[in-house]
Amino acid sequence: MDLVTEQRLARRAAMLQTAREMIAEVGYEAVTVRDLADRCRVSVPTVYNQFGGKDGLLGEAIEDHFGGVLDGVPLTQADAGFDRLLMIVDQIALQLRTMSAFHRRLLEALGSLDNTTAVQQRVAIQLSVAFERELVTMAGRRQLAAWITALLVAEQMTAACINAAVMWSSPMLSDASLAPYMQFSTGMILLGVVRGQPQEMLKERVEAAQKQLLRERRRLRGAAARARKRTG
């Protein structure tokens, strides 16, 4: 890679990171092209030339972020198939909590703005493809029921993860409940189709997640009861 190309890619990466920071600070809708250009230290025409405008830049920043999660070191180090399938779920939950301000703002925008629909679809496809790849590997090892289609299981797992993320951002789920909720909901989908040793491991994972969820539910109900007594 020549120096000019390297510098161009570095500047592009810096612009994507700046865009993510701005979403976390003020929300998707409040970011303007002028603000983006000023923070990125480029001209407004540069934003349009490279990304087609605000939605193009913010959309690519979002996709780049989720692509980085799916291509991150923890996943590449996990064994392909069952182990990596579960690791994807765990990494999604971890990233949501690690960059909570960014993700809460982002989920708020994705749920309310029509101009983010295409971004939502592309991110969902990214995740579904990642799940499907590991499920196909499992099928090749006879760890999935012969009648099941990996694509449809992957789509169900994707929907479960998105639902958990939306509930967490609302916030219907506490931070402590996010990971076990994702583990439980995706695990329940998989239990009906996984075969062999992974099935036993999956049962243990789902049972552990259920215990965590119930423990957190009791904690929250106890806290709510104490709050009612104080105000009553």
Side-chain angles (χ1 to χ4, degrees), residues 98-124:
T98 300
M99 298 178 61
S100 60
F102 167 72
H103 288 111
R104 288 185 190 279
R105 292 278 196 177
L106 178 58
L107 287 163
E108 177 184 313
L110 294 180
S112 61
L113 301 177
D114 291 338
N115 57 348
T116 63
T117 301
V119 176
Q120 294 180 61
Q121 292 173 341
R122 291 195 295 271
V123 170

Side-chain angles (χ1 to χ4, degrees), residues 72-133:
V73 172
L75 290 180
T76 59
Q77 291 181 342
D79 291 337
F82 183 68
D83 288 349
R84 194 175 295 170
L85 184 72
L86 301 188
M87 179 68 77
I88 291 171
V89 175
D90 293 343
Q91 283 298 301
I92 292 169
L94 176 63
Q95 284 297 317
L96 285 171
R97 289 191 58 181
T98 300
M99 298 178 61
S100 60
F102 167 72
H103 288 111
R104 288 185 190 279
R105 292 278 196 177
L106 178 58
L107 287 163
E108 177 184 313
L110 294 180
S112 61
L113 301 177
D114 291 338
N115 57 348
T116 63
T117 301
V119 176
Q120 294 180 61
Q121 292 173 341
R122 291 195 295 271
V123 170
I125 289 171
Q126 274 186 312
L127 181 54
S128 183
V129 167
F131 281 140
E132 184 183 9
R133 182 169 54 244

